[in-house]
Amino acid sequence: MVPTFVSRAVGRPAPGRITAALRAALGLAVDVALPRLCPACREPVADAGLCAACWSKLSFIARPYCERLGIPFPFDSGPGLLSMEAMADPPAYGRARAAVRYDEVARTLVQAFKYGDRLDLAPVMGRWMARAGQELFDGAHALVPVPLHWRRQWARRFNQSALLAEVVGKENRLPVAYTALRRMKATPQQVGLSQSQRAANVQGAFRVPDEGKPEVTGRRLILVDDVLTSGATADTCARALLRAGAANVDVLVFARVVAATRAPI
Ligand SMILES: [Zn+2]
């Protein structure tokens, strides 16, 4: 079983983990001594999160958008409209919702969270996601974080999607199904790959392990990830969950790539 962030944190110390613990302790000491910095521009801020200037540059996603994929539309042409993508190539999942567009500020925020030891950003990012995904929670049974391969999780010490799912779950009293999905392949990073390369990259990468089946079969699930780019990862995860008998799979991410201005059809 791939251990969760919590069980990892209290697990048996290993050489790598001692260094990590030391870093965490030093980070804590620095946090107390110095003001917090905006993860995007490094200006001091009062609370965890962005400064007012960077906040104003974030593009929160709101209606009108494609009811299926959550891709924002430039203008409102009435309720229930679908994007061209949703019609031409419908995903395995039901609906996808995202808090913000994946632009410069969002990218800086995600990178600070994932690679910059800014785990304190999880509550604010998770709360924005909870707001964006409000309509998904009604009737949902659990949140399923997109898992990392165990080797990557060991190196990073945490799964960013699980941390976000924990915040969203707390806000909406939904459990996090940590063992529902397992990443079987340590797939290369999706950055720089074309859409078809991304799909091939994650093909067969996820599976519902036997111990995860009770959390999946007959359940209405919400897949949680930090960023949605081509949707290949979300689609592959949704397929694995549906194959294992999930009743429904929706997707909730912090940020999604929005390619260009699209008109509804
Ligand atoms: Zn800032």
Side-chain angles (χ1 to χ4, degrees):
M1 194 188 85
V2 178
T4 62
F5 169 63
V6 176
S7 62
R8 205 157 255 299
V10 297
R12 179 170 53 87
R17 209 169 295 148
I18 290 166
T19 326
L22 213 103
R23 260 203 308 158
L26 286 172
L28 210 71
V30 170
D31 259 5
V32 173
L34 297 169
R36 290 171 187 276
L37 300 180
C38 169
C41 70
R42 319 294 300 165
E43 283 291 312
V45 284
D47 303 310
L50 292 167
C51 73
C54 291
W55 165 277
S56 71
K57 279 187 241 158
L58 263 187
S59 313
F60 286 91
I61 294 177
R63 283 202 161 82
Y65 51 58
C66 167
E67 287 306 315
R68 195 77 199 277
L69 301 178
I71 298 173
F73 290 143
F75 52 86
D76 199 350
S77 311
L81 284 170
L82 296 180
S83 59
M84 212 96 83
E85 290 88 337
M87 306 274 274
D89 189 16
Y93 50 82
R95 297 166 290 179
R97 297 293 180 261
V100 300
R101 285 176 191 241
Y102 192 60
D103 56 16
E104 199 67 30
V105 185
R107 179 167 41 238
T108 314
L109 204 58
V110 168
Q111 288 186 346
F113 173 50
K114 263 161 89 164
Y115 310 116
D117 267 343
R118 288 296 308 261
L119 300 187
D120 57 311
L121 293 172
V124 66
M125 291 165 75
R127 276 199 295 274
W128 292 339
M129 289 167 71
R131 207 171 311 151
Q134 210 56 60
E135 64 195 348
L136 307 181
F137 304 129
D138 201 22
H141 292 110
L143 301 161
V144 178
V146 170
L148 295 176
H149 188 262
W150 68 268
R151 241 180 280 134
R152 184 164 291 160
Q153 175 151 344
W154 193 85
R156 195 179 291 169
R157 295 182 285 126
F158 62 91
N159 174 0
Q160 73 278 2
S161 305
L163 295 189
L164 295 173
E166 282 163 19
V167 178
V168 175
K170 214 174 282 174
E171 295 265 310
N172 294 280
R173 296 191 186 162
L174 277 173
V176 178
Y178 295 100
T179 54
L181 265 184
R182 185 180 293 170
R183 196 171 202 129
M184 311 305 293
K185 288 199 290 185
T187 49
Q189 300 275 18
Q190 300 275 65
V191 177
L193 300 181
S194 73
Q195 184 143 357
S196 58
Q197 283 171 325
R198 282 167 187 268
N201 194 19
V202 291
Q203 181 85 40
F206 300 91
R207 198 163 63 85
V208 175
D210 284 341
E211 73 263 29
K213 291 214 168 109
E215 294 188 297
V216 172
T217 312
R219 296 299 189 90
R220 298 180 65 83
L221 303 169
I222 303 173
L223 189 71
V224 176
D225 208 354
D226 53 347
V227 179
L228 191 140
T229 309
S230 69
T233 300
D235 199 61
T236 310
C237 288
R239 273 176 212 285
L241 292 167
L242 292 166
R243 254 202 316 273
N248 182 64
V249 181
D250 287 323
V251 176
L252 180 60
V253 298
F254 170 67
R256 75 160 301 141
V257 170
V258 179
T261 311
R262 287 183 179 86
I265 45 175

